[in-house]
Amino acid sequence: MKKRLASPLLATPLLVIAFAAGSLGAALAQAPGGPAELGPRPFYLVDQMKDGPLKDELARCKGPFTTKGFSISHRGAPLQFPEHTREGYLAAARMGAGVIECDIAFTKDRELVCRHAQCDLHTTTDILARPELASKCTKGFEPADPATGRKASAKCCTSDLTLAEFRSLKPKMDAGNPNATTVADYMNSTPRWRTDLYVDRATLMSHKDYIALVKSLGLKFTPELKTPEVPMPFEGDYTQQAYAQQMIDEYKAAGVDPRDVYAQSFLLDDVLYWLKNEPAFGAQAVFLDDRDETTKGFDNMKPETWQPSMQELADKGVKILAPPLWMLVTVKDGKVVPSAYAQEAKKAGLGLIAWSLERSGPLKDGGGYYYQSIKSVTDRDGDTLALLDVLARDIGVIGVFSDWPATTTFYANCMKLN
């Protein structure tokens, strides 16, 4: 591997700093190592990179390519497949993702299913075109009204349906047209940089279905307990703690080794619950950090605004922290370098996982939300790999979520990551 000096902000490369999670990084990397099928995208991204040593290094990388624990599937492979479907998970596995994600929501009859949000069925399935099920939505379709400026809206939740009703839905690419005046126009809104080629036969998944599939593939699990969008306790007696415990219980019932499960939540209380009540699973639970959006006064570059602090998180037993891509990097002298956030997390001994690569679509306009801290130096799709290199080599993240895992698999293979 080509040697490169670390960021001038750092005394030593963060990659070589041991973190308190100890063997967790190694455990995450222990994927089966089977063959991976990458397709053309990673090589297209290399062609689109700015000229320089990194591009030259990656251009020389020809494989063979194998599954890597560094490569984490975000919702399956939603750049082309409807998210959280069997077909998307299989595509991610074929592209060498060593870890597969299922976002967890619950149904009316308290079964766990894979959905990015509890109330996203109106944008991720055909429920609005199914009158018998649309009538059960928390809020039915309301068309846009150009005269008043009102946007089209609906709210259909997994908790509105039984598991059997959920299974009857047909998945679609996640999108809704806010200017639509009809259900058909609302649903027909896939971004042009995604595709509907693989929609017709896509299959929705329960959490148990997902466990069985990923176990059969010999891969690792990262279930995310989604924050409920209905009042808890649900229907009076289904508490947040019962929900968190049910997720873990389904792995125990399936005989899954806790070391193969990376439970996630945006709620710190969920992580602390697992640490106390299911320590074998809690030991490598992932605290998903969205404080940039949820905490008043949070400033990514000012540690004094972070509550709790990195050290306080570590003192509570948190081992792995997962922020969005942009929070880990900043620009100095025209170069992408580790942010204060990344440095403080590593000082506290926290392992880092980043989300979500290839979620932004084309990067010619700066990359949007996921690239906001480095927008000034982001102008082409090849910058995906430039960012990935900083995350891996200068910051030392133990894994990266991607909407198209072939890209992270390619980089991990080229750089001899596990």
Side-chain angles (χ1 to χ4, degrees):
M1 179 168 65
K2 177 175 67 66
K3 301 295 183 183
R4 190 180 70 171
L5 294 176
S7 160
L9 294 177
L10 307 174
T12 58
L14 282 172
L15 184 58
V16 303
I17 298 177
F19 59 92
S23 63
L24 290 179
L28 184 64
Q30 289 172 2
E37 303 170 12
L38 302 189
R41 180 164 174 78
F43 308 97
Y44 165 82
L45 294 177
V46 173
D47 290 342
Q48 298 301 311
M49 294 179 70
K50 298 177 179 73
D51 290 338
L54 178 60
K55 180 176 181 178
D56 294 341
E57 184 175 7
L58 293 175
R60 291 192 296 268
C61 183
K62 304 299 183 184
F65 301 101
T66 60
T67 297
K68 295 292 183 178
F70 180 85
S71 180
I72 306 175
S73 159
H74 182 241
R75 312 189 199 179
L79 193 62
Q80 292 198 21
F81 292 83
E83 62 189 42
H84 295 307
T85 58
R86 178 180 178 84
E87 292 72 18
Y89 291 146
L90 287 172
R94 288 171 178 140
M95 287 187 280
V99 187
I100 308 291
E101 181 189 43
C102 169
D103 294 326
I104 308 294
F106 57 84
T107 62
K108 188 173 182 62
D109 50 351
R110 303 180 190 183
E111 295 290 338
L112 302 184
V113 295
C114 297
R115 283 293 87 197
H116 176 250
Q118 184 177 24
C119 298
D120 72 0
L121 297 182
H122 51 288
T123 60
T124 63
T125 76
D126 67 341
I127 190 170
L128 294 178
R130 304 273 297 280
E132 74 283 7
L133 296 180
S135 65
K136 300 186 178 187
C137 289
T138 297
K139 178 177 179 281
F141 175 72
E142 187 172 74
D145 185 348
T148 64
R150 184 185 70 202
K151 298 298 184 181
S153 63
K155 186 176 182 179
C156 301
C157 308
T158 59
S159 52
D160 293 331
L161 306 179
T162 65
L163 176 60
E165 290 167 335
F166 171 83
R167 286 189 184 280
S168 74
L169 295 172
K170 177 181 174 182
K172 72 178 192 70
M173 297 300 275
D174 185 12
N177 178 4
N179 299 312
T181 56
T182 67
V183 166
D185 284 344
Y186 185 79
M187 294 175 58
N188 185 23
S189 53
T190 299
R192 63 182 182 179
W193 43 270
R194 292 185 180 151
T195 179
D196 290 322
L197 281 174
Y198 306 109
V199 167
D200 286 347
R201 294 186 180 274
T203 310
L204 291 174
M205 301 284 283
S206 72
H207 183 226
K208 291 176 182 176
D209 295 335
Y210 154 83
I211 292 174
L213 176 62
V214 176
K215 187 177 181 181
S216 74
L217 296 169
L219 302 175
K220 294 182 183 291
F221 310 80
T222 185
E224 179 189 332
L225 195 74
K226 299 305 296 189
T227 302
E229 296 184 46
V230 296
M232 298 293 279
F234 178 63
E235 295 188 341
D237 62 346
Y238 187 56
T239 65
Q240 182 70 26
Q241 293 75 23
Y243 175 36
Q245 185 63 52
Q246 182 182 358
M247 188 184 87
I248 299 301
D249 285 345
E250 294 195 351
Y251 290 95
K252 294 166 72 174
V256 174
D257 188 330
R259 293 173 296 181
D260 289 340
V261 181
Y262 291 81
Q264 312 172 74
S265 180
F266 280 104
L267 299 180
L268 180 58
D269 283 348
D270 290 338
V271 176
L272 299 180
Y273 173 86
W274 293 322
L275 281 164
K276 179 180 179 180
N277 296 282
E278 293 289 351
F281 289 89
Q284 56 189 29
V286 180
F287 175 41
L288 296 162
D289 196 351
D290 65 348
R291 286 177 289 175
D292 62 304
E293 293 187 332
T294 59
T295 302
K296 185 177 180 180
F298 179 93
D299 186 324
N300 186 51
M301 299 302 290
K302 295 180 179 179
E304 64 272 15
T305 68
W306 308 341
Q307 297 297 327
S309 69
M310 297 298 186
Q311 190 58 54
E312 287 170 337
L313 286 173
D315 291 344
K316 291 175 183 291
V318 175
K319 298 292 192 299
I320 305 176
L321 185 63
L325 300 170
W326 73 267
M327 287 173 65
L328 292 171
V329 289
T330 188
V331 176
K332 183 176 183 180
D333 299 328
K335 302 291 185 182
V336 178
V337 297
S339 67
Y341 180 102
Q343 295 178 70
E344 291 298 315
K346 299 300 286 190
K347 286 179 185 177
L350 295 169
L352 290 168
I353 294 175
W355 48 270
S356 294
L357 209 68
E358 300 179 282
R359 189 74 190 162
S360 299
L363 301 186
K364 63 179 180 179
D365 296 321
Y369 170 80
Y370 292 98
Y371 289 77
Q372 59 186 278
S373 62
I374 58 170
K375 181 178 180 179
S376 63
V377 295
T378 302
D379 63 8
R380 64 193 68 196
D381 289 348
D383 290 332
T384 298
L385 290 169
L387 172 58
L388 188 56
D389 188 60
V390 174
L391 294 172
R393 202 165 354 194
D394 292 346
I395 297 174
V397 298
I398 61 176
V400 177
F401 283 94
S402 177
D403 278 23
W404 198 245
T407 302
T408 42
T409 301
F410 168 77
Y411 179 88
N413 274 269
C414 296
M415 297 302 175
K416 305 295 192 292
L417 302 178
N418 291 323

